[in-house]
Amino acid sequence: MKPDHHDDGTVVSVTDVTRTFGDILALDHVSLDVGPGELVGLLGPNGAGKSTLLSLVSGLRRPDTGSVRLLGQDPTQPAARITLGMTPQETGLPATLRVGEVVDFVGGHYPDPVPTPELLAQFGIEDLARRQTGSLSGGQKRRLAVALAMTGRPRVVLLDEPTTGLDVAGRTALWDAIRACHRSGVTVLLTSHYLEEIQALAERVVVIDQGRVLADDSLEAILERVGGTRVSYAGPDGTQREHVVADSDEFVRDLVRSGTEFKGLEIRRASLEEAFTQLTEGTRSGARPGATPGPGAQTDDAPQDGGHLTEGANR
């Protein structure tokens, strides 16, 4: 069943928000509306303002200017936060309490919590129920922290770097749990420094840098607006060539008509890593966000595979 939401169809509303810490401008007139049931990925480098934005939506901090609403209410009010689940970047767990006891304790703060055995099974940690949290590995603690965000059957979930410290199997299992949560109608906002995570989960991507929103669109639209298609091939001397073009079909036809010898032709669309890099580097250099090289432009600095941003704790 879809969760209830505000009458205007907006679950999270951030309007012209500014937030400073001393002389540091963390958010610079940011506006963002999130509708019911959306899964939105917030993407940005270290210190971009992503975590600050989540702290305002969760009511942990207030904006200096502008307004924030959660289901039409002020998120600093307890009545608004009863609808919210959150996993911050770091979660302190009482080391001597057992996993099941921690879930029971958190569940006691909600009117209709998910039963502890059911919640632990959903996140694949049911075998840890009687383990003290102090004996858990970093990845196990992270899975428990995300599970705790779902304890109260939230309408909105904020996940700040949810899979940090998890191995591949743990990350995949957590992705499945997040997808299941989203399928039930819950609105999810997540930040991640794993680009493949945003690409795997998010329906909508919001790119933030230097406290400003650079792009806000579907993943497909972000890729289309930022990067052209990459065409690579080896010339007759074996030298690898790569071009960023607007129309790969036309480029290949021209290549064939030119009589140029080539082999190993590969055509691929721009990746999220390339889109992200182009957006953020464009603003830092003063270029228009989303500007792309002209058709046929050759580049020798293709990004490496992996799609991982080195990122520590955000503001």
Side-chain angles (χ1 to χ4, degrees):
M1 183 177 65
K2 290 283 184 181
D4 295 334
H5 53 83
H6 193 223
D7 290 343
D8 68 359
T10 301
V11 173
V12 173
S13 180
V14 177
T15 306
D16 199 26
V17 160
T18 299
R19 186 62 161 90
T20 58
F21 296 92
D23 59 353
I24 298 174
L25 181 60
L27 293 175
D28 184 5
H29 297 283
V30 168
S31 294
L32 177 69
D33 286 336
V34 180
E38 283 196 272
L39 203 167
V40 180
L42 303 179
L43 190 60
N46 182 34
K50 305 187 303 297
S51 294
T52 298
L53 180 58
L54 292 191
S55 73
L56 298 183
V57 174
S58 65
L60 295 176
R61 293 191 175 102
R62 296 178 183 270
D64 296 334
T65 63
S67 66
V68 180
R69 289 293 179 266
L70 176 64
L71 291 162
Q73 303 179 73
D74 180 351
T76 64
Q77 300 302 312
R81 293 199 301 271
I82 200 70
T83 65
L84 180 70
M86 182 176 183
T87 300
Q89 284 192 21
E90 296 183 6
T91 303
L93 299 169
T96 58
L97 286 187
R98 293 173 176 172
V99 169
E101 292 173 334
V102 172
V103 176
D104 289 341
F105 175 76
V106 173
H109 291 77
Y110 296 95
D112 181 29
V114 179
T116 296
E118 178 183 331
L119 185 71
L120 296 180
Q122 181 182 351
F123 286 85
I125 52 176
E126 63 271 29
D127 57 335
L128 303 177
R130 296 188 58 79
R131 289 267 301 274
Q132 290 184 328
T133 64
S135 69
L136 301 180
S137 68
Q140 290 169 335
K141 289 179 180 177
R142 199 62 187 156
R143 291 167 76 176
L144 174 58
V146 176
L148 291 174
M150 313 296 180
T151 305
R153 305 184 192 274
R155 303 179 190 183
V156 182
V157 172
L158 310 179
L159 303 175
D160 200 355
E161 310 285 357
T163 62
T164 298
L166 294 180
D167 58 19
V168 173
R171 186 178 304 144
T172 301
L174 198 51
W175 286 359
D176 289 341
I178 293 171
R179 290 188 184 104
C181 173
H182 176 239
R183 283 195 300 270
S184 73
V186 176
T187 302
V188 181
L189 278 76
L190 69 90
T191 75
S192 180
H193 62 261
Y194 294 111
L195 289 164
E196 70 271 22
E197 183 161 87
I198 297 291
Q199 197 151 359
L201 294 175
E203 301 170 329
R204 173 181 167 194
V205 178
V206 178
V207 180
I208 301 176
D209 191 23
Q210 298 182 337
R212 293 178 293 143
V213 174
L214 305 185
D216 178 0
D217 216 326
S218 68
L219 176 62
E220 189 75 19
I222 292 288
L223 295 177
E224 287 180 355
R225 67 177 276 188
V226 177
T229 303
R230 290 186 177 267
V231 180
S232 61
Y233 58 91
D237 59 353
T239 301
Q240 193 70 22
R241 296 181 171 85
E242 184 174 82
H243 301 265
V244 181
V245 299
D247 187 337
S248 59
D249 291 341
E250 182 64 27
F251 179 88
V252 172
R253 284 194 291 268
D254 288 346
L255 182 65
V256 172
R257 284 194 290 262
S258 72
T260 301
E261 295 183 17
F262 64 90
K263 58 183 178 180
L265 180 69
E266 180 180 347
I267 301 173
R268 66 177 179 85
R269 61 183 297 180
S271 69
L272 182 57
E273 180 177 10
E274 291 161 340
F276 171 82
T277 300
Q278 200 166 94
L279 277 167
T280 55
E281 287 186 349
T283 57
R284 291 170 188 271
S285 65
R288 175 179 58 84
T292 59
Q298 182 169 335
T299 177
D300 296 320
D301 55 349
Q304 299 299 313
D305 291 335
H308 180 276
L309 295 174
T310 302
E311 181 170 346
N314 292 314
R315 289 193 300 270

